[in-house]
Structures are given as C-alpha cells and as structure tokens.
Amino acid sequence: DCPTIISWIAMTNKTLTSCLGDLDITDGTVFDACANTDEEFKLIKKNWRKKVLAEHPDKGGDPDKFRTTNASFEVLRDLYQQSKVKDGTYSSYLSESAKAEAAESDIDIDELFTKYSKNTNVPSWDFYEEAAEEDVPG
C-alpha cells in the first residue's frame, strides 16, 4: 500500500556500494576478469537477473526486496549509460575509501534510487525468466 512504499522510499540512504551489495556484489575481485566497464556491467546485469528471478513476488518473494534490487540495478544502469562510472570501473565503489568518497560525489544516489523506487509496476516472473535466457547485452 502507498504509506508503506512512501515510508520505504523515505528510508533510503543509498550509496553505489550498497546498490552493488543489493545485487550480491560485495567484493571488487568479482570484476577481476572483466577487461572494461562493458564487461562489468554485463556481470552486474547477470547478477540482477538471477536476483529478480529469486525475489519475484509471483514466486513468493518479498516485494520490498524485489523493488530494492530493481531500483539498485537501475541506479547502476543509469551510471553506466551516462558513462559516469568512477575511474571506469565499478570495483572502485567497493574499496574501503569508497564510503568516504561517496559524500564528495556529484551524483545524488539517493535521488536516483528514489526515482527508480517509485516504479511499482512488476512485470511477471515469466518476463524475467525469458529475459534471463537471452544473451546479456551491455
């Protein structure tokens, strides 16, 4: 219901580190085999697809977790599409100094996360299952 969604959105205090964590990416070494940002984003997208299939409300998943996963992915995709990934690598957001530097960023992650969190449309589980079977384009 709306009050729950509004209070959930108001509680965000997102960073790019936490957005990656929402997709189960918590260690920068996961990107070691990636040659560039395009390959890193493909890996992010693969993790997102796996998570949304597991967390989808049609399959008994928690709607809040599902929305968080989707919103975090959209923030990371927005960054990728605008070529604003710091130092050309997502792993830079997983370093120890990343948390301190988040305050200095010119990107308002909370604003982006809130923007994407407001989308309460949930495509069917079948939609995500079909998408997961496709090649992962950048």
Side-chain angles (χ1 to χ4, degrees):
D1 62 356
C2 287
T4 302
I5 292 169
I6 291 169
S7 62
W8 173 76
I9 291 170
M11 295 184 333
T12 65
N13 186 18
K14 298 304 279 187
T15 63
L16 292 168
T17 303
S18 65
C19 287
L20 288 164
D22 289 337
L23 302 177
D24 294 336
I25 300 172
T26 57
D27 181 358
T29 60
V30 75
F31 296 120
D32 285 352
C34 299
N36 54 44
T37 308
D38 294 333
E39 289 182 12
E40 288 182 351
F41 186 72
K42 287 178 185 178
L43 188 116
I44 288 168
K45 197 170 195 177
K46 183 178 178 181
N47 275 36
W48 166 73
R49 286 179 171 173
K50 198 181 309 181
K51 290 265 307 191
V52 294
L53 285 172
E55 295 175 347
H56 199 286
D58 287 357
K59 296 296 180 180
D62 181 329
D64 285 343
K65 277 182 144 183
F66 181 80
R67 277 192 297 274
T68 297
T69 298
N70 273 331
S72 290
F73 173 74
E74 292 299 335
V75 167
L76 295 166
R77 177 170 39 195
D78 191 275
L79 214 65
Y80 172 74
Q81 290 176 335
Q82 293 187 36
S83 300
K84 290 188 174 182
V85 178
K86 184 177 105 185
D87 299 331
T89 177
Y90 283 98
S91 63
S92 65
Y93 300 110
L94 297 170
S95 69
E96 290 301 317
S97 61
K99 292 177 185 173
E101 293 172 4
E104 300 171 16
S105 175
D106 61 343
I107 303 165
D108 189 340
I109 302 307
D110 272 334
E111 181 180 314
L112 277 175
F113 186 82
T114 300
K115 170 185 159 186
Y116 292 120
S117 297
K118 289 179 181 178
N119 181 5
T120 58
N121 295 331
V122 178
S124 70
W125 186 85
D126 293 332
F127 168 84
Y128 289 106
E129 182 182 43
E130 289 173 17
E133 293 173 6
E134 297 174 7
D135 286 336
V136 180

